[in-house]
């Protein structure tokens, strides 16, 4: 966990409103899939948390969607410029080597952290199914990249313009994916729907953050069993075992 | 460069330098201890302690604002017993002054927390948070009324075996009146300011962004207000002031010293740059000597003192 | 994109859109008229008028702060007679609603200015500045006390032949109490907020940066406080509110509408970008329809009104 | 008077802490010497007023000293980047074609506006003397540039490391410059000293500004004769006839 100036290697539009950035990272050696980096941008007082999508030697890749002023500013940065990166933060997905197969389920910009995760499970020779949900075909990304890793990719689009029409769960049913150990990341409604079906695996959560490292209590989630217990999404999370925290 | 003396003695606090992370912005130091040696710090104002554990408000609890942020954490803390059991022994390893920030829903709660902490040698002073805008009972109510503020101060002073600092809220018409009332009630020092009550709205839903509706504004945005209040109170009271509000660098510290503060707390800046306290401590001797000071004492209150 | 209705009728003011440059930040419009046609604007709140000419404070009168600025102009203006003679006839050429901001050292001054302006057809409404922190007598004093605020409002209402809006200061413990008192005294609407009292220090001299020592903080820094106050008051009074404080773009306007404002004034942003009012007016229909509104009226008070 | 994005052509260190920037300018045609531009920098809420040093076709040159955060940010900008420039502002030096000789007196970063002024008087074939005051030899700039215009340049340095030792007035005496019509720009103590000696000519003043165009009353100077009259430095100034306003 360190705060360093990193250099942008590339920063390009991947699909509409969504960018991919490659940057140097001093702390690559410590990183695990599902952890995040916290980016300080000029003009903004709070850092922006973004998941690590891929770790490659001394570089990482992130994929982010422009949803507000901070991500817009990020998208306007150019190769060669420096950014202040605090990383790696949080607890990622544990790699469970005893598993034979894993089902990764991602929605939109919840997909990026699953890429490094798929990579690591594939390195262990595991069977990896990936279900990616998007609003439409135009928004789809990383199908080829996952396939290249040797993962099996299934696409769901809300308008049916690509893959299975409907949600990621519709795709799971349509393609009859029966793996019960899942790792998921995506919007809250998606996670809630998955929680109704799965109980083995991990969810990655989001929250508005301030410190990003566990000091300020901005980002808590309630424990499902102990009413008066909270977990910090930035520190104990963002990845939690299914059933650990209340999805709210 | 001549050696610059950063040291300052205040009630309960022998500070090797005037930099103290502010309550609620540094937890109990555990996270920042992974980044640097906490013994570098003048002191640490730990997260508000309440008599029972508090779980705070619903999320979202924070929102960004221009040069600042809103928070409505709601004083989440494990309760004073757990703090005594788990946090203070761990903090004892560091060579820095621990200030226990005390909060409560009513006056008795403050006294109870103080009684529990009285015999903790790690705690060097109390800081009464009578100014948190994010709790329903007490909190802001006590801090906005001079009689209530004086009364809780008096009760705490009676109970306390260590110096009592009172942390004031800026959300008042007349801060000087409250500072004076608190001084008269026996406060050993003032900490000012806590956050300013503010709001943001979600553009999509049209509803308040924070689950708690309102939150406390902190960060550089509030610095001019904090400086003004320190300046006004420093001339009206005879007890020392710890300045807080929007400090991000050594130049900001110098402004607070000029205004009349004897030390400062750094809050939100710890989020923007987790190393900021270290950087300020490193820069301070350079900045002080650049402007001709050999000690922080020389700069304190310079704006209203005649050379 | 469907046609979006930006029009809003308020006491004295038929605004074609809710954007009004704030008093003191637009002079009498002459400078900005060199940049764009003032008829584009919903209205203009002209510089505070006093009964006699005022020459204001010594310089420096302004200082920069994070996301904001301090000013201590001290109500410099040529006096109401000169304004009637020179400025109002010139302003009459524009198809926009002129709000006369009225200030004074005591209650009688306010009444006298109003009496002089009563028969000026160019002036559509009065805005009582009972909140300027930069004048020694009156000003802030009136605005921080609910009885005094109500009393000056009452006297002005009695004298005025046009609607009276009252501009409130944020430097108070309880803004709702003052808003209610002013409503009860007959105010036709509220304008909120004026600047927050703040300070900066000169690093070299150690002295206050402004010749007047303190100044009024404005700009994006104060937006969260302004939003909170509008939100609180909009639910407590039945008169309309014009929101002011840190507005720089159409999204900010939407937040103020959500909070309960019916129109807005834009102050400091005119300095950062002299075309900002035009840009906001251009962007507003797009932003409103992006979030699903066909008129500004639909957005007003949405944060607390149930759909 | 317009607000436009302009492109930086070059931005280089001239002498320690002092930079020269060349930038495009949409409003060159309207500009006169002594006017200023008002620059908006990201992260800063108020614009920074800087004098026009030279007008060359559709480009201008400015020379500025790094004294705070805004000028520091300006010094870090690179050729090709865009800046938001509000220009031209204020009233500059009137060109008095009936004069045969003019004495220009500048201190530090008060010198830049005198360069365009010298250029315009030289174009009219006038005799131009320029006295430039600096703290020391290292801080000297634009001696060659003024000379190239055909102006006679005299240097004063406080430490005597170049030219005459002392103030600009010491240099005037030392070099026996007898021209009585002067145009000056520089720090307040310099202008005050000049006011005690000269009464024919113009001074350019500085002030903290907000609007920079006459609307806010931030930047006023008192009239010397009418106690209750103020002039706006940004609008009626920054150039005033000697004796017009109180130097304070
Ligand atoms: C652990 C974690 C990992 C994330 N990984 C990714 C990723 O890989 N790709 C991606 O596109 N997005 C990711 N997000 C969401 C991303 O942080 C937000 O989209 C981003 O902060 C929005 O910033 P903004 O300035 O554009 O939006 P604004 O709405 O202008 O931001 C205002 C404030 O709200 C916060 N905020 C707004 N939306 C969110 C959000 N969804 N989650 C948390 N904070 C938010 C911002 O950080 C900022 O403090 C992640 C969030 C978290 C918590
Ligand atoms: C009409 C005019 C022309 C000028 N021409 C030049 C020039 O050609 N070259 C040059 O180097 N400087 C010039 N200056 C001074 C220049 O504007 C300041 O040095 C600059 O604004 C400092 O900004 P900063 O952010 O670095 O300093 P900071 O001290 O951080 O600035 C804080 C605030 O104070 C203001 N400020 C600080 N110093 C001054 C000052 N001396 N005058 C006015 N405002 C100030 C800033 O604009 C800003 O609003 C001129 C000033 C004026 C009024
Ligand atoms: C996330 C957060 C939590 C805070 N919690 C507390 C608290 O528990 N007790 C307290 O007295 N002040 C609390 N504060 C207020 C700070 O201690 C400080 O007074 C305020 O933030 C102003 O300083 P700053 O501008 O440097 O942040 C909190 C502030 C923030 C931002
Ligand atoms: C330079 C300056 C001068 C002002 N003069 C007046 C004034 O004469 N009368 C008044 O009622 N408000 C005055 N104000 C306050 C503004 O009208 C407005 O209430 C305040 O600046 C907050 O809005 P903003 O954040 O958009 O600037 C002045 C503000 C500034 C910055
Ligand atoms: S963001 Fe501070 S505890 Fe998680
Ligand atoms: S800076 Fe506004 S009037 Fe001169």
């Amino acid at each position: 966990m360190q705060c360093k100036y990193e250099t942008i290697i590339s920063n390009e539009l991947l699909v509409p409103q969504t960018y991919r950035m490659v940057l140097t990272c001093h702390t690559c050696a410590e990183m695990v899939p599902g952890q995040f980096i916290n980016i300080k941008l000029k003009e903004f007082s709070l850092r922006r948390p973004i998941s690590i999508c891929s770790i490659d030697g001394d570089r990482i890749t992130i994929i982010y969607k422009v949803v507000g002023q901070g991500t817009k500013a990020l998208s306007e940065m150019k190769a060669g410029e420096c950014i202040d990166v605090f990383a790696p933060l949080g607890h990622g997905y544990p790699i469970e080597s005893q598993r034979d197969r894993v089902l990764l389920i991602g929605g939109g910009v919840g997909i990026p952290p699953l890429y490094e995760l798929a990579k690591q499970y594939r390195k262990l020779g595991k069977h990896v199914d990936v279900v990616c949900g998007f609003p439409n075909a135009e928004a789809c990304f990383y199908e080829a990249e996952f396939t290249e890793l040797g993962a099996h990719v299934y696409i769901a689009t809300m308008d049916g313009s690509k893959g299975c029409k409907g949600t990621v769960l519709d795709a799971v049913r349509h393609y009859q994916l029966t793996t019960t150990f899942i790792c998921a990341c995506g919007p809250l409604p998606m996670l809630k729907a998955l929680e109704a079906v799965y109980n083995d695996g991990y969810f990655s959560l989001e929250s508005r953050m301030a410190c990003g490292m566990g000091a300020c209590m901005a980002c808590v989630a309630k424990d499902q069993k102990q009413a008066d217990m909270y977990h910090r999404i930035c520190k104990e999370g963002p990845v939690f075992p299914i059933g650990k925290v209340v999805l709210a | 460069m001549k050696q610059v003396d950063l040291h300052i003695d205040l009630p309960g606090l022998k500070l090797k330098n005037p930099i103290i992370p502010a309550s609620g912005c540094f937890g109990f130091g555990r996270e920042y201890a992974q980044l640097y040696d906490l013994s570098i710090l003048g002191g640490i104002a730990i997260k508000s302690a309440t008599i029972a554990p508090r779980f705070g408000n619903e999320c979202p609890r924070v929102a960004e604002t221009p040069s600042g942020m809103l928070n409505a954490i709601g004083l989440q803390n494990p309760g004073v017993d757990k703090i005594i059991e788990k946090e203070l022994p761990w903090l004892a390893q560091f060579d820095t002054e621990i200030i226990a920030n005390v909060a409560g829903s009513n006056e008795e709660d403050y006294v109870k927390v103080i009684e529990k902490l009285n015999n903790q040698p790690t705690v060097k002073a109390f800081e009464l948070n009578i100014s948190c805008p994010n709790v329903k009972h007490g909190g802001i109510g006590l801090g906005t009324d001079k009689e209530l503020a004086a009364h809780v101060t008096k009760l705490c002073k009676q109970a306390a075996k260590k110096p009592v600092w009172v942390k004031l809220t800026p959300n008042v018409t007349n801060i000087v009146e409250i500072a004076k009332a608190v001084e008269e009630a026996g406060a050993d020092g003032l900490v000012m300011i806590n956050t300013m009550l503010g709001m943001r709205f979600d553009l999509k839903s049209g509803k308040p962004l924070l689950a708690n509706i309102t939150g406390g504004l902190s960060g550089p945005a509030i610095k001019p207000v904090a400086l003004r209040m320190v300046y006004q109170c420093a001339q009206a009271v005879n007890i020392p002031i710890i300045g807080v509000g929007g400090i991000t660098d050594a130049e900001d510290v110098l402004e607070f010293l000029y205004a009349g503060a004897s030390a400062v707390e750094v809050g939100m800046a710890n989020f923007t740059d987790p190393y900021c306290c270290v950087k300020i401590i490193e820069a301070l001797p350079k900045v002080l000597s650049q402007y001709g000071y050999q000690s922080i004492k020389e700069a304190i209150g310079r704006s209203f003192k005649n050379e």
Side-chain angles (χ1 to χ4, degrees), chain A, chain B:
Chain A
M1 188 168 76
Q2 282 181 47
C3 222
K4 292 275 180 191
Y5 276 96
E6 306 291 358
T7 306
I8 299 173
I9 307 293
S10 66
N11 187 23
E12 83 234 329
L13 191 72
L14 190 62
V15 292
Q17 267 139 54
T18 305
Y19 289 76
R20 172 166 59 182
M21 180 184 279
V22 179
L23 60 161
T24 63
C25 207
H26 283 75
T27 51
C28 284
E30 314 166 26
M31 284 179 175
V32 300
Q35 284 187 306
F36 65 97
I37 69 173
N38 221 351
I39 303 177
K40 168 78 180 79
L41 294 157
K42 271 191 192 180
E43 294 182 79
F44 296 93
S45 35
L46 292 181
R47 288 172 181 266
R48 268 48 181 178
I50 301 287
S51 300
I52 298 160
C53 169
S54 183
I55 311 162
D56 305 282
D58 58 356
R59 293 179 177 187
I60 60 168
T61 302
I62 59 173
I63 292 177
Y64 60 93
K65 188 167 171 186
V66 172
V67 298
Q69 301 219 290
T71 44
K72 177 152 192 294
L74 193 62
S75 75
E76 286 162 0
M77 294 197 75
K78 295 193 173 58
E81 288 189 76
C82 281
I83 42 171
D84 173 349
V85 173
F86 189 23
L89 298 174
H91 282 87
Y93 296 97
I95 306 293
E96 304 199 345
S97 51
Q98 78 280 15
R99 308 280 187 172
D100 289 329
R101 1 183 4 117
V102 54
L103 173 55
L104 309 183
I105 306 182
V109 284
I111 295 165
L114 303 179
Y115 178 76
E116 179 63 32
L117 187 60
K119 207 174 17 163
Q120 301 211 3
Y121 270 113
R122 284 298 301 144
K123 263 197 199 133
L124 298 175
K126 310 296 179 179
H127 179 97
V128 177
D129 288 322
V130 189
V131 179
C132 298
F134 300 98
N136 52 47
E138 215 197 353
C140 285
F141 62 84
Y142 264 45
E143 186 181 8
E145 283 80 354
F146 277 108
T147 308
E148 235 167 72
L149 295 176
H152 304 263
V153 188
Y154 305 91
I155 306 285
T157 55
M158 292 311 290
D159 67 354
S161 52
K162 189 176 165 107
C164 164
K165 182 175 157 87
T167 66
V168 287
L169 262 181
D170 292 324
V172 167
R173 287 186 203 110
H174 182 261
Y175 296 110
Q176 303 181 330
L177 304 175
T178 53
T179 308
T180 54
F181 173 63
I182 68 161
C183 293
C185 182
L188 209 58
M190 180 190 108
L191 298 180
K192 282 186 181 165
L194 292 175
E195 197 181 33
V197 178
Y198 296 97
N199 54 31
D200 184 18
Y202 297 91
F203 285 161
S204 179
L205 304 188
E206 278 192 5
S207 173
R208 304 239 162 190
M209 296 181 174
C211 71
M213 64 188 292
C216 76
M217 303 292 149
C219 66
V220 297
K222 286 183 201 163
D223 194 274
Q224 286 202 358
K225 306 212 176 73
Q226 235 178 297
D228 56 358
M229 188 160 169
Y230 278 73
H231 305 278
R232 289 164 292 189
I233 290 176
C234 71
K235 194 174 178 184
E236 284 84 41
V239 174
F240 293 99
I242 296 176
K244 177 88 179 166
V245 301
V246 177
L247 301 176
Chain B
M1 198 175 84
K2 277 186 227 139
Q3 193 68 28
V4 176
D5 180 12
L6 294 186
H7 166 272
I8 179 108
D9 275 357
L10 296 174
L13 307 168
K14 285 184 182 301
L15 305 174
K16 62 169 84 100
N17 64 61
I19 308 303
I20 306 166
S23 180
C25 301
F26 209 72
F28 297 96
R30 287 186 188 271
E31 291 74 27
Y32 290 92
Q34 296 176 260
L35 299 178
Y36 59 83
D37 178 2
L38 303 187
S39 299
I40 290 167
L41 299 166
I44 301 174
I46 57 178
K47 177 74 189 169
S48 281
T50 51
I51 189 71
R54 280 187 73 109
F55 307 100
N57 297 317
E58 295 297 307
C59 289
R61 292 176 168 189
V62 291
E64 195 179 46
T65 71
S67 297
M69 66 175 282
L70 292 168
N71 91 80
I73 307 295
L75 296 182
Q76 176 166 6
N77 80 94
V80 65
D81 290 333
K82 273 263 172 57
I83 293 172
I84 290 173
E85 187 196 326
K86 298 230 167 126
E87 306 298 346
L88 295 181
W90 180 82
L91 280 166
Q93 70 181 295
F94 299 105
D95 173 23
T96 188
E97 303 286 87
I98 303 299
I99 303 169
N101 183 298
V102 176
S105 302
N106 53 53
E107 294 177 335
E108 296 74 55
D109 282 1
Y110 284 86
V111 171
K112 281 187 208 153
V113 172
I114 286 178
E115 282 167 350
K116 295 230 180 201
L117 290 169
N118 261 336
N119 296 321
Q120 292 297 317
T122 312
V123 170
K124 293 297 169 357
F126 297 117
E127 176 182 284
L128 304 187
N129 177 6
I130 58 165
S131 47
C132 177
N134 300 323
V135 289
K136 291 274 134 46
H137 311 288
I140 190 119
L142 292 179
T144 56
D145 181 294
K146 69 176 170 186
E147 264 108 51
L148 294 178
H151 195 247
V152 68
T153 304
K154 203 177 223 162
L155 292 179
C156 290
K157 261 310 271 185
Q158 280 163 6
K161 296 193 196 152
K162 302 166 200 278
V164 173
W165 293 72
V166 181
K167 186 164 176 186
L168 303 182
T169 170
N171 301 299
V172 297
T173 308
N174 190 336
I175 190 83
V176 169
E177 186 180 277
I178 293 176
K180 280 182 169 169
V182 155
E183 177 185 38
E184 214 167 292
D188 297 289
L190 302 174
V191 181
M192 51 199 294
I193 58 176
N194 210 314
T195 55
M196 308 195 62
L197 205 58
M199 275 181 90
R200 288 295 308 273
F201 294 86
D202 183 59
L203 291 175
K204 274 189 200 144
S205 69
K207 301 298 172 197
L209 243 171
L210 299 175
N212 188 53
I213 299 179
T214 60
L217 180 63
S218 60
I222 70 169
K223 190 178 66 171
V225 176
L227 285 168
R228 184 263 297 181
M229 290 186 163
V230 169
Y231 175 82
Q232 290 177 323
C233 292
Q235 294 171 82
V237 300
N238 292 306
I239 49 177
I241 297 176
I242 296 177
V244 204
I247 293 169
T248 67
D249 59 23
E251 281 82 1
D252 291 339
V253 175
L254 189 53
E255 278 197 76
F256 272 89
L257 297 177
Y258 287 156
S262 297
V264 298
E265 291 183 9
V266 178
M268 181 192 168
N270 290 293
F271 309 153
T272 312
D273 178 359
Y275 299 96
C276 78
C277 287
V278 181
K279 289 182 185 164
I280 294 174
I281 293 166
E282 276 171 13
L284 206 47
K286 282 177 228 142
V287 169
L288 283 168
S289 75
Q290 178 187 343
Y291 291 104
Y293 305 102
Q294 282 166 45
S295 70
I296 60 156
K297 282 172 208 112
E298 290 171 19
I300 296 169
R302 203 178 161 80
S303 62
F304 53 85
K305 282 182 191 152
N306 293 325
E307 299 92 297

